[in-house]
Amino acid sequence: MKFSTFLLLLLVACKLSVAQQSVITGKVISDDDKLPLPGVGVKVYKSDLSTTTNLDGTFKISAKPTDILIFSFLGFETKNITVGNQKTINVSLIVSNTLLEEVAIVGYGSQKKVNLTGSVQTLRLDSAVNTPVTNTAQLMYGKFSGVQLTQGNGLAGQDGSDITIRGLGTFGNASPLVVIDGMQFDGLNEFNRLAPSDIETITVLKDASAGAIYGARGANGVIVITTKQGNGDSFKIEYNNYVGTQTPTVVPRFLDALNYANLTNEKYKNLADGRAFNPRYTDPQIQLILTETSPFTFANTNWAEASLQKAVTQNHFVALSGGKGETRYRISLSYLTQDAIVKGNYNVDRYNFRANLNSQPKKWLAIGNNLTSNYQKIDAPTGGLGSVNDIISSFSRNAPTIPLYNATGGAGFSDGAIGNANASYPVEFNFVRTGVTGEYRSNDFQFSNRSFFRANILKTLSFESAITLSADFINRSDFRPVNVDQDDLVVTTAVNRLENNSIFNYRILNENLLRYNTKYKKNNFNFLLGYSTVYAKNDGFSASQSKFPSNAIQEFEGGASLPPTVEGNGASENAIQSVFGRMNYNFNEKYLFEVNVRRDGSSKFNPSNRYGVFPSVSAGWRISQEKFMSKILEGNFLTNLKLRGSWGRTGNNGIGNYIFSQTYNAGLDYVLGNSIVSGVALTSLANPTIKWETTEQYDIGLDASFFKNKLSLEADYFNRNSYDILYTNFPIPLTLGVNSLAAQNSASMVNKGLELNLNYTHKSKRSVSYNVGLNVTKNAKNRVTDLGNGVQTINNTNIIRAGDPFNSYYGLRMIGIFQDAAEVAASPVQYGNSRTAAGDIKYADVSGPNGVPDGVIDDNDRTVIGNPYPIWLYGLNSSLNYKGFSLSVAVQGVANVDRLLKLGGAEPLVSDRDNALDYWRGRWTPESPSTTLPRLGGVNNDNTSTFYIQDASYLRLRNVELGYDLPKKLTTKMKISGLRFFVSGQNLLTFTEMENYDPERAANSNARLVPLYKSFTGGLNFTL
């Protein structure tokens, strides 16, 4: 009887237990336009159970009748619903009138955006990324104020963009610190290799109050990336792809064969100054060039167009995500392949893998692991990707009279004037040969893993510990084959050679965080205390072997007859130890206050200077929360208004590892008696007092929103002063016995600017929604303020001195072209040269030995002639959606920036083989005197001057995407969540005054870099 009763009670309990837990389904729509809302968070109150709505707004979650479901979505008011006896719960969310729920990512956590007191800006990537970017930084163009991106190279595998935040603050590496899911990286390599569709947010911490929590690594700004995570109680499969082509944005135009021959002869005629001379090309040869009757003797080769091609690129991405209860996961795999726009055996393949796992096995314990890895494989001819630069230089270095191919089908080498008295020069590089000779392979595997746990010690106190291991293994193989060409005079490779190189880099980061949050009446406190340590080591070696029996054998121990050579690449290691803390206080979310402090110790410095302290203070006032603003807010014109200000210091330890330690130069052998004795010598003095570079920054900001948050405004003024900058140019007494000094902390530099961000979002009841965002940055000129005991640095093109922008362009100021001998005679003598004549550039007499004009043109007349840093940065981003159709357009540009262009044909017919850009057909001649272009073969026309400075301002149509989502009725019948087709373009149009070269080129780049590319792609996004 007892057993029967027990069994009956057990069955009833089980039935009640089952009854308590049931599956709730439903749909979430917008109250404004009744459209479904995808991505809405659905969470069981006081539980770890959560999910998000699908593309059609539907959801499914397990809950008990007593549970409360919380529905939350950015830009909408949160709604709480008790389950009760309901099996289906349909929810209509109301558009929020406040920004209280919007969260911004900051260092070591997140904060409500309305409570931020620092300058922080975030880009959210909620859906698939279809922009045809090959490196992640390209997603940031035109999206952030105060952030300048520069892509100087269009070569696959080397097309990453540099990022500068709020101006240049160091003479060295200015790359920001990158934090990806808590994993910290110096430089942009790991960031650029992320799969864009994995990214959820990109946040830029711009001012010192936001970046000071990273201390000695935050002086150049911080970029924080979070990746997408899985959702509980829902399984999702995503597949995205695109396929397209890439072509150069601009191809330089050079002289054709006939103009090249005539202008070359004209140059030698002018150099002769009326004396007899040997023309490069004789009259019969000019005739052959004109008639093109002997193409293998005298061709008309456009080396730029012949060497460039339409390259194919494609990207495939697949992700699986989901979870159950307290465990969530997301796994993704992507593949990107990219050919070079330069002809030859160049190809880059990249594979990405990511696995994010989060779980909460106990109410008080959360654990997680973020694993990311990528593998990049580069195939190229001998010399690797660097050999492309040789091909690019051939655009201007190869005469157009040389054929691309010779009569036997081999690579063209010379034209018919090679045997003349004034002989022509052969090709320097021909892609027909350079682009296919030999084999280069690079295998680069990067791996980063972060494991963490977070324990809630008390309701208000938690402890988190994480360990990150990052490793990079690179293996390179470069085989140069025997290369003997019997048909021409090409320098042959008589002995083949194999070079192998291996590099091993790894980094270990441990972080421990204690968080305490408490509230007393209207006073809210948040405390963070942390300790971290980083250890990094770089090592590697290289080996080579020569004279293999066959070009087909490309492995060591393959029978090479010459012994191998092996050498190390130079091992190095460094470590950082840090203690840091943060306190946030707000009174009723009206008065805001934050303090950060970090103490860093780095092995890169002498023990006496090893530690540095980097504090920051910021405050904010939410004026819109004041009672006197209530009537103003009632009209819905103004929704939110906040004033904020900050001050702080951040550091920069991006220097060499052993500058403070004295080193000796080996290999300085000497003769003692009749023997050679190995010796070492002290040739450079160390700097034992070296310390941190420091950046002090002030920021004043205003945040406002209008019309129920449809229009938002953010404005900032910043003043960024960097000091103790490392500098190397100091006077050295000859009696000291050394020829260089290690860098000294002696220089300082300042950057100031204004930033403005505007964003307007509109959603109508007619299925039309659109968004327009504008950002503008006005920079004051970057200025070096002091060099300490150092002296100014001047080279042929640039200057570093106090009072001017760093590395300003430095040269003579052109004021015209001499038109006749009388004008020459009436002008100052230029560099003491009596050959100055009509057609030469006329320079301004700016100064002399005593600082005043002296009637002589010499180096004393050189002055700052250009600024390599833009004064204006701007971006315009817009999107339009209508009944499944979507269009997005991004425009970006810079203004008031200069570039110096002397190479690549800008300086005409420089050597005995160089060509000139096509506009030199309008050069000065006695028959057609020009007022803008000098004569060929003149005097002092090659001096660096304003003649070679070009305005590099540009406006670029950065991205355009047109897409269509299949109707929900159709995808439901297909039993899929969504299907979207799209076409996209990148760098489609550029408006600029710069000719022949892309204006985005880096400030000190040369003409040997591959042109940037424009892309046309098409693809699909599939969700199951």
Side-chain angles (χ1 to χ4, degrees):
M1 180 66 181
K2 291 182 178 179
F3 177 76
S4 300
T5 303
F6 173 75
L7 183 61
L8 178 62
L9 291 174
L10 182 62
L11 290 172
V12 172
C14 292
K15 186 173 182 180
L16 288 173
S17 176
V18 172
Q20 287 178 346
Q21 194 85 8
S22 59
V23 176
I24 308 299
T25 61
K27 186 175 184 178
V28 182
I29 64 173
S30 169
D31 184 71
D32 188 21
D33 55 14
K34 310 306 179 185
L35 293 177
L37 290 175
V40 175
V42 184
K43 178 178 174 58
V44 178
Y45 181 60
K46 290 187 177 181
S47 167
D48 298 323
L49 294 174
S50 65
T51 186
T52 58
T53 57
N54 298 319
L55 291 176
D56 57 354
T58 60
F59 70 93
K60 181 173 65 174
I61 193 170
S62 298
K64 296 178 293 185
T66 56
D67 283 336
I68 299 174
L69 297 184
I70 303 174
F71 297 85
S72 60
F73 192 54
L74 183 65
F76 290 81
E77 293 184 1
T78 299
K79 180 172 287 189
N80 301 335
I81 297 177
T82 302
V83 174
N85 295 325
Q86 303 176 85
K87 303 296 181 184
T88 301
I89 299 178
N90 294 320
V91 180
S92 177
L93 293 184
I94 299 173
V95 176
S96 176
N97 289 327
T98 69
L99 295 174
L100 290 177
E101 301 305 317
E102 187 172 352
V103 174
I105 304 298
V106 296
Y108 298 102
S110 61
Q111 294 180 20
K112 289 184 178 181
K113 186 174 182 180
V114 292
N115 292 341
L116 282 176
T117 52
S119 182
V120 177
Q121 198 172 349
T122 298
L123 170 66
R124 299 184 182 276
L125 304 172
D126 298 320
S127 57
V129 178
N130 299 320
T131 306
V133 297
T134 54
N135 64 85
T136 313
Q138 293 174 350
L139 294 172
M140 298 176 63
Y141 274 101
K143 301 296 195 301
F144 297 86
S145 61
V147 179
Q148 182 190 358
L149 285 92
T150 304
Q151 181 183 349
N153 198 339
L155 176 61
Q158 293 185 347
D159 52 357
S161 299
D162 294 328
I163 301 177
T164 304
I165 300 175
R166 289 188 166 180
L168 190 68
T170 177
F171 293 0
N173 184 0
S175 294
L177 173 68
V178 174
V179 182
I180 305 173
D181 287 337
M183 297 178 278
Q184 300 176 15
F185 302 98
D186 296 313
L188 301 172
N189 193 24
E190 289 81 3
F191 175 45
N192 277 327
R193 291 194 187 180
L194 282 176
S197 290
D198 273 334
I199 298 174
E200 184 173 55
T201 63
I202 301 175
T203 301
V204 178
L205 312 182
K206 295 189 283 188
D207 71 339
S209 69
I213 196 68
Y214 292 104
R217 302 168 71 191
N220 296 320
V222 183
I223 299 176
V224 182
I225 297 96
T226 61
T227 61
K228 295 171 183 174
Q229 308 292 321
N231 296 311
D233 290 332
S234 64
F235 177 72
K236 182 190 294 186
I237 298 177
E238 303 169 65
Y239 172 71
N240 311 315
N241 79 354
Y242 65 74
V243 179
T245 59
Q246 296 175 331
T247 55
T249 56
V250 60
V251 179
R253 300 180 302 275
F254 294 92
L255 297 174
D256 60 18
L258 182 61
N259 281 297
Y260 171 79
N262 285 327
L263 267 65
T264 299
N265 284 347
E266 181 181 318
K267 180 189 80 168
Y268 286 112
K269 178 182 178 181
N270 290 340
L271 286 172
D273 286 335
R275 301 185 300 272
F277 76 100
N278 292 316
R280 168 66 54 83
Y281 298 96
T282 65
D283 289 342
Q285 290 172 339
I286 294 288
Q287 190 63 26
L288 288 176
I289 296 172
L290 175 64
T291 59
E292 298 184 357
T293 53
S294 184
F296 295 114
T297 305
F298 292 103
N300 186 16
T301 303
N302 186 322
W303 289 99
E305 292 186 357
S307 302
L308 298 173
Q309 65 177 355
K310 181 181 290 186
V312 176
T313 182
Q314 58 178 308
N315 181 74
H316 300 271
F317 175 89
V318 62
L320 289 79
S321 61
K324 187 173 183 180
E326 64 280 348
T327 301
R328 297 174 295 157
Y329 66 88
R330 188 174 190 271
I331 301 172
S332 66
L333 180 67
S334 68
Y335 168 66
L336 170 70
T337 182
Q338 185 184 11
D339 293 331
I341 60 174
V342 179
K343 292 179 180 177
N345 297 334
Y346 300 97
N347 177 260
V348 177
D349 291 330
R350 189 173 76 218
Y351 302 84
N352 285 72
F353 174 77
R354 174 173 291 277
N356 292 341
L357 176 65
N358 297 277
S359 183
Q360 192 165 0
K362 302 291 183 180
K363 288 186 177 181
W364 57 270
L365 178 65
I367 59 176
N369 193 85
N370 296 320
L371 167 66
T372 178
S373 62
N374 68 78
Y375 165 62
Q376 180 170 278
K377 181 172 71 74
I378 298 175
D379 293 314
T382 292
L385 296 180
S387 63
V388 172
N389 296 334
D390 297 332
I391 296 175
I392 299 301
S393 74
S394 71
F395 292 2
S396 61
R397 295 279 288 169
N398 289 350
T401 52
I402 300 173
L404 194 62
Y405 297 93
N406 59 28
T408 62
F413 174 70
S414 61
D415 63 20
I418 197 167
N420 291 358
N422 184 0
S424 62
Y425 276 62
V427 295
E428 190 170 39
F429 301 100
N430 185 342
F431 77 86
V432 174
R433 182 193 305 274
T434 304
V436 299
T437 300
E439 284 191 47
Y440 171 93
R441 292 181 180 177
S442 173
N443 297 284
D444 185 353
F445 178 76
Q446 291 181 347
F447 164 92
S448 295
N449 187 84
R450 182 177 187 265
S451 301
F452 71 92
F453 76 87
R454 182 170 55 253
N456 295 322
I457 303 172
L458 301 172
K459 186 178 180 180
T460 58
L461 180 66
S462 67
F463 174 74
E464 178 180 339
S465 183
I467 186 167
T468 300
L469 172 63
S470 300
D472 189 2
F473 304 100
I474 306 173
N475 286 299
R476 300 186 181 116
S477 174
D478 191 355
F479 184 77
R480 185 182 300 274
V482 172
N483 183 15
V484 180
D485 195 319
Q486 303 294 336
D487 297 326
D488 56 41
L489 303 177
V490 171
V491 176
T492 61
T493 303
V495 177
N496 52 27
R497 178 181 175 86
L498 173 66
E499 295 181 11
N500 280 0
N501 181 264
S502 294
I503 300 173
F504 316 101
N505 303 323
Y506 66 88
R507 177 189 295 262
I508 300 174
L509 165 67
N510 173 241
E511 293 179 305
N512 301 276
L513 306 172
L514 194 65
R515 294 184 174 93
Y516 177 71
N517 306 318
T518 188
K519 181 177 181 179
Y520 176 72
K521 295 183 179 181
K522 295 182 180 181
N523 300 277
N524 300 279
F525 296 90
N526 296 287
F527 296 92
L528 170 71
L529 180 64
Y531 169 81
S532 75
T533 181
V534 183
Y535 173 77
K537 184 171 183 178
N538 306 313
D539 203 350
F541 70 92
S542 59
S544 64
Q545 198 166 18
S546 301
K547 208 169 185 180
F548 292 86
S550 169
N551 286 339
I553 301 176
Q554 300 182 16
E555 297 290 341
F556 284 93
E557 299 184 355
S561 59
L562 296 181
T565 60
V566 180
E567 59 182 11
N569 291 340
S572 64
E573 59 183 356
N574 66 83
I576 301 176
Q577 181 176 257
S578 309
V579 179
F580 52 91
R582 176 169 61 212
M583 188 274 287
N584 293 97
Y585 167 77
N586 76 72
F587 176 79
N588 199 27
E589 296 193 337
K590 182 191 304 183
Y591 307 115
L592 316 169
F593 184 72
E594 179 178 305
V595 176
N596 291 273
V597 64
R598 182 166 180 137
R599 177 176 168 84
D600 285 314
S602 173
S603 64
K604 294 183 177 182
F605 303 99
N606 202 334
S608 61
N609 285 328
R610 185 150 290 176
Y611 286 89
V613 177
F614 306 97
S616 73
V617 179
S618 60
W621 176 28
R622 292 191 63 203
I623 305 172
S624 55
Q625 296 297 100
E626 297 288 356
K627 291 183 179 180
F628 62 78
M629 295 290 295
S630 58
K631 291 186 178 180
I632 298 176
L633 298 177
E634 288 177 359
N636 290 326
F637 169 73
L638 179 67
T639 312
N640 181 61
L641 182 64
K642 179 177 69 177
L643 182 66
R644 51 184 167 78
S646 67
W647 167 89
R649 290 176 180 163
T650 49
N652 178 22
N653 74 329
I655 64 172
N657 288 327
Y658 309 112
I659 296 178
F660 72 91
S661 181
Q662 185 61 60
T663 58
Y664 296 86
N665 191 0
L668 298 178
D669 301 340
Y670 61 95
V671 177
L672 182 60
N674 296 322
S675 302
I676 297 178
V677 180
S678 298
V680 296
L682 192 157
T683 59
S684 177
L685 284 183
N687 177 12
T689 64
I690 190 171
K691 58 183 179 180
W692 310 88
E693 294 186 350
T694 303
T695 294
E696 184 176 42
Q697 186 172 179
Y698 300 86
D699 186 283
I700 298 175
L702 178 70
D703 300 337
S705 59
F706 308 87
F707 311 117
K708 296 183 178 180
N709 297 320
K710 290 183 178 180
L711 175 64
S712 63
L713 175 150
E714 296 176 5
D716 283 85
Y717 165 79
F718 66 88
N719 185 319
R720 185 167 178 252
N721 179 34
S722 302
Y723 59 92
D724 288 335
I725 296 175
L726 293 177
Y727 189 55
T728 57
N729 192 5
F730 297 87
I732 303 175
L734 295 177
T735 55
L736 197 57
V738 297
N739 52 32
S740 66
L741 298 176
Q744 312 288 312
N745 297 98
S746 66
S748 59
M749 184 161 47
V750 67
N751 294 275
K752 302 177 183 179
L754 295 170
E755 299 171 352
L756 176 66
N757 296 278
L758 291 170
N759 191 80
Y760 182 79
T761 301
H762 178 78
K763 197 171 185 180
S764 73
K765 296 182 179 181
R766 297 182 178 181
S767 301
V768 176
S769 63
Y770 61 87
N771 174 270
V772 179
L774 172 69
N775 63 81
V776 179
T777 304
K778 170 67 167 62
N779 293 314
K781 279 189 177 182
N782 163 279
R783 185 165 56 89
V784 176
T785 54
D786 191 15
L787 294 177
N789 295 323
V791 295
Q792 63 186 19
T793 300
I794 302 175
N795 58 28
N796 290 332
T797 58
N798 301 88
I799 185 171
I800 303 173
R801 72 178 177 192
D804 294 312
F806 176 72
N807 258 342
S808 295
Y809 297 124
Y810 192 65
L812 300 170
R813 186 158 56 87
M814 172 185 173
I815 57 176
I817 303 290
F818 288 117
Q819 297 299 314
D820 52 45
E823 185 179 2
V824 173
S827 301
V829 175
Q830 303 195 152
Y831 285 88
N833 201 313
S834 60
R835 285 194 60 239
T836 303
D840 288 329
I841 295 177
K842 182 178 181 181
Y843 298 113
D845 183 9
V846 174
S847 185
N850 298 320
V852 294
D854 59 353
V856 174
I857 304 298
D858 54 21
D859 283 347
N860 290 311
D861 296 296
R862 298 178 71 192
T863 186
V864 171
I865 58 175
N867 177 24
Y869 311 106
I871 300 299
W872 292 92
L873 309 172
Y874 51 89
L876 176 66
N877 304 277
S878 60
S879 62
L880 173 67
N881 298 275
Y882 176 71
K883 291 185 177 180
F885 289 95
S886 61
L887 174 67
S888 63
V889 178
V891 176
Q892 175 264 335
V894 302
N896 288 26
V897 58
D898 301 312
R899 288 293 179 263
L900 175 69
L901 291 179
K902 290 191 69 179
L903 302 176
E907 186 180 340
L909 310 174
V910 179
S911 68
D912 287 319
R913 59 158 46 96
D914 286 69
N915 199 348
L917 291 168
D918 182 69
Y919 60 75
W920 279 99
R921 289 184 295 124
R923 78 283 177 202
W924 188 96
T925 64
E927 298 76 22
S928 180
S930 171
T931 58
T932 56
L933 292 175
R935 63 175 178 147
L936 301 175
V939 180
N940 297 319
N941 296 332
D942 58 350
N943 286 357
T944 298
S945 70
T946 52
F947 174 74
Y948 295 103
I949 294 291
Q950 291 199 31
D951 183 358
S953 304
Y954 69 86
L955 172 66
R956 173 164 280 166
L957 181 58
R958 182 62 66 175
N959 292 300
V960 177
E961 181 183 328
L962 176 63
Y964 177 70
D965 290 271
L966 293 185
K968 185 54 60 179
K969 291 182 179 179
L970 183 57
T971 56
T972 302
K973 291 180 180 179
M974 299 169 64
K975 297 184 178 181
I976 61 175
S977 297
L979 182 60
R980 182 173 188 269
F981 299 94
F982 67 90
V983 291
S984 180
Q986 181 187 29
N987 297 341
L988 300 184
L989 295 172
T990 304
F991 303 93
T992 180
E993 293 184 4
M994 180 175 283
E995 298 181 323
N996 293 293
Y997 292 98
D998 196 293
E1000 196 179 325
R1001 58 192 290 125
N1004 293 311
S1005 64
N1006 56 49
R1008 298 169 68 92
L1009 298 180
V1010 176
L1012 302 191
Y1013 48 77
K1014 61 180 70 173
S1015 302
F1016 299 88
T1017 58
L1020 61 86
N1021 307 133
F1022 169 82
T1023 307
L1024 180 63

